[in-house]
Amino acid sequence: MAEIGRERWSNRTLFIFAAIGSAIGLGNVWRFPYLTYEFGGGSFLIAWIVGLIIMGIPWMMMEFGIGRYFQRSAPGVFEGIGKKWEWLGWWPVFMAFLIVSYYTVILAWSLHYAISSATIAWGMGEAGAAGAGDYFFGTVLNLSEGAGVLGGFQWPLVGLLALTWGILFLLVFRGARHIGKIVFWTVIIPWALLIIILIRGITLPGAVEGLNYYLTPNLAALASPDLWFGAFSQIAFTLSLGMAGMFAYGSFVAKKADITNNAFIASFSNCATSFFAGFAVFSTVGFIMQALSIPVGDVSASGLGLAFVTFPVAISMMPAANGIIGIVFFLCLFFLGIDSALFLVYGGVISPVMDKFGLSRTKATAIICAIAFIVGLLFTTGGGLYWLDIIDRTACFYGLLITGALACIVVGWKFGASKLREHLNETSDIKVGAWWDWLLKLVVPAGLLFVVVYGGFMQDIPAPYGGYPLWAASMIWVILALTLGLSFVLQAIKTKPSKEEAKK
Ligand code: PFF
């Protein structure tokens, strides 16, 4: 393949920053705290750490490594392993597409709150705290009574979504080299902002109560398979696995770069960020409990709203600098997410489409950004939050884990885990032993499929997910089947060589 023509990260630090920057995102500050909260705090944390070490790191090494080996994005990798496997590279591309279509809507919420923080639009003091939920679900989202009632667009969100896509388009079409440079700042700035929020959070009265909930495990809860389903889904989401992107990342790495090391650095620094963001969030949850005298379990009306209800409440109740803290927090969320969205759409979707259809970057970027914006409009309607939840269940719970398990099986058995390990070890300071082969071939796929079956199918088949009407919850299966079918269609279409390759 086109090793010479392929674009490259300009140096090792940029690559690591780009990998960390793409991994750290809304997953750390929005999704991690809300899942930890929903699944009961400390026990979820244990499952999440186990998932990181046993599943996440070996899986990430696989995606990076095989991407570098073939020098192609996900579909090209699987086509390289065997023509009949190309679909397995496309399925995660669809997942990346679905995820980025709602991810950008959450970025639009963040912008909305960064703006409304200037005037603390949901109110100050006790009144603001009591009104923050209504502000989010009522004013910002105009939440309808169910998934079947879309109830019109929320125009401010539509505008901010268009703005987000405009920014992404400008950032993406210039390519990986530029992305590396931007990402440096989008990692450093949010980290600085998170430190400010954390200090403010842990000095609030009541913080300890929230932190107890966050850190105290309830061992009995570890027996529940859906907690593990949630934890593994979050590990995949936060490490950007199962979304095709990391294959493309690996393909941008020079042949001599150290993948193993990078995988360790990227996953640990990413998870450290989540753990750290958890302190900021849960100390604030504790503050709210005390301020409004309610028990922990009742704090947020809906899990998805944790960041967007709890933080505004806390902001209203702060003694001073309310507006500034609000602006800082929500801009922080936006910056954290923008580079992740950038890579999600670029590495996960645009790069595979360019490789397959021989399209120029500008053309592919324009087409994909436009379609994703249109799909994302669904989430800016009054029923949007329900659909966001259903699509998250489809893509991030089922999609990532199923495609991830299959990818590990095909790479492990068909391509050969030991061949890939030798490829990784050639350029790495840390040499991985034969144990890794068995993690990849057996432990990771078995673990992922186990939670999909016991935590997923066995819950969502007998009773519709989330209490939604049957037709709405069934969309999970419809979308999974449809995207799988389309992956086979794409496999059947002949790959067009890019202009560079055609010239050779
Ligand atoms: N890992 C990111 C997060 O936690 O927000 C999401 C993500 C970014 C997924 C980039 C995939 C990707 F390529």
Side-chain angles (χ1 to χ4, degrees):
M1 275 301 284
E3 233 239 285
I4 310 158
R6 194 142 193 107
E7 56 190 316
R8 292 264 168 249
W9 301 110
S10 38
N11 67 42
R12 181 192 162 131
T13 328
L14 278 190
F15 167 68
I16 296 182
F17 261 101
I20 297 174
S22 86
I24 299 178
L26 298 175
N28 305 68
V29 181
W30 160 72
R31 200 171 185 270
F32 169 78
Y34 113 67
L35 287 176
T36 309
Y37 173 80
E38 260 190 12
F39 285 106
S43 337
F44 181 83
L45 214 53
I46 293 182
W48 176 80
I49 293 170
V50 171
L52 163 70
I53 294 169
I54 298 180
M55 310 279 144
I57 296 176
W59 180 4
M60 184 186 244
M61 282 163 59
M62 181 280 277
E63 291 201 1
F64 271 165
I66 199 88
R68 182 180 72 169
Y69 184 92
F70 283 103
Q71 294 289 303
R72 289 190 256 175
S73 46
V77 163
F78 286 96
E79 191 203 0
I81 293 176
K83 184 67 194 129
K84 65 171 187 293
W85 296 113
E86 188 186 332
W87 62 273
L88 191 47
W90 285 108
W91 210 10
V93 168
F94 284 105
M95 297 308 136
F97 177 82
L98 289 173
I99 295 168
V100 81
S101 69
Y102 79 67
Y103 201 92
T104 42
V105 174
I106 301 173
L107 289 176
W109 298 350
S110 312
L111 281 180
H112 193 298
Y113 269 93
I115 297 166
S116 42
S117 291
T119 56
I120 316 282
W122 55 92
M124 288 284 287
E126 294 273 347
D134 285 347
Y135 182 76
F136 180 61
F137 295 108
T139 312
V140 178
L141 301 185
N142 195 14
L143 193 63
S144 67
E145 66 265 31
V149 188
L150 290 185
F153 293 119
Q154 280 305 95
W155 291 107
L157 289 179
V158 173
L160 294 169
L161 183 63
L163 176 67
T164 305
W165 275 110
I167 297 174
L168 280 174
F169 174 78
L170 291 177
L171 293 177
V172 172
F173 88 99
R174 308 186 62 188
R177 220 171 279 277
H178 302 273
I179 292 175
K181 279 179 204 138
I182 297 159
V183 157
F184 181 79
W185 293 107
T186 56
V187 173
I188 297 293
I189 299 172
W191 257 91
L193 298 182
L194 261 179
I195 290 171
I196 299 173
I197 292 166
L198 174 70
I199 294 172
R200 185 59 258 193
I202 54 178
T203 52
L204 287 170
V208 174
E209 282 298 304
L211 294 179
N212 271 341
Y213 182 76
Y214 179 40
L215 299 173
T216 316
N218 161 14
L219 292 180
L222 284 176
S224 123
D226 53 334
L227 176 134
W228 290 88
F229 193 26
F232 287 5
S233 154
Q234 177 55 18
I235 283 296
F237 190 93
T238 199
L239 298 182
S240 316
L241 300 172
M243 316 179 195
M246 287 309 180
F247 293 92
Y249 246 67
S251 79
F252 300 148
V253 187
K255 279 262 180 190
K256 57 183 186 327
D258 184 335
I259 300 266
T260 314
N261 216 350
N262 286 342
F264 275 100
I265 297 175
S267 16
F268 279 115
S269 51
N270 173 65
C271 288
T273 306
S274 292
F275 188 61
F276 178 64
F279 279 88
V281 171
F282 282 92
S283 58
T284 313
V285 168
F287 164 68
I288 298 166
M289 278 157 35
Q290 201 185 63
L292 301 180
S293 338
I294 42 175
V296 160
D298 297 344
V299 170
S300 134
S302 142
L304 286 165
L306 188 66
F308 294 90
V309 174
T310 312
F311 268 97
V313 169
I315 289 162
S316 301
M317 301 294 286
M318 296 232 182
N322 313 55
I324 305 280
I325 294 172
I327 296 172
V328 163
F329 177 70
F330 289 106
L331 275 185
C332 166
L333 221 54
F334 184 79
F335 281 121
L336 274 178
I338 195 82
D339 55 345
S340 300
L342 184 66
F343 199 70
L344 191 51
V345 68
Y346 181 61
V349 189
I350 295 171
S351 182
V353 167
M354 281 164 61
D355 284 356
K356 175 82 182 178
F357 297 100
L359 290 179
S360 72
R361 181 182 304 120
T362 318
K363 210 185 225 165
T365 307
I367 297 171
I368 302 291
C369 290
I371 305 177
F373 168 70
I374 293 168
V375 172
L377 288 175
L378 171 66
F379 310 114
T380 65
T381 62
L385 190 69
Y386 306 115
W387 287 101
L388 202 157
D389 186 25
I390 292 169
I391 297 296
D392 181 82
R393 186 75 171 178
T394 310
C396 302
F397 279 74
Y398 288 102
L400 303 187
L401 303 195
I402 296 175
T403 62
L406 296 179
C408 290
I409 292 172
V410 170
V411 172
W413 295 91
K414 187 83 186 56
F415 176 82
S418 53
K419 187 166 151 199
L420 181 58
R421 177 164 54 87
E422 277 156 27
H423 174 71
L424 293 173
N425 282 346
E426 257 169 43
T427 54
S428 176
D429 300 335
I430 314 172
K431 305 279 183 234
V432 201
W435 50 267
W436 184 78
D437 299 1
W438 293 104
L439 277 184
L440 190 68
K441 285 160 88 161
L442 277 182
V443 179
V444 177
L448 298 180
L449 292 177
F450 179 83
V451 299
V452 166
V453 172
Y454 286 94
F457 292 145
M458 308 231 333
Q459 319 283 328
D460 293 348
I461 293 175
Y465 167 67
Y468 293 110
L470 184 62
W471 67 271
S474 306
M475 285 302 150
I476 296 176
W477 320 123
V478 173
I479 295 170
L480 286 174
L482 203 69
T483 49
L484 177 61
L486 285 172
S487 306
F488 279 102
V489 171
L490 282 160
Q491 171 171 303
I493 298 173
K494 212 173 139 17
T495 306
K496 247 195 180 169
S498 71
K499 295 208 176 74
E500 281 156 16
E501 275 171 60
K503 270 191 236 140
K504 282 201 287 175

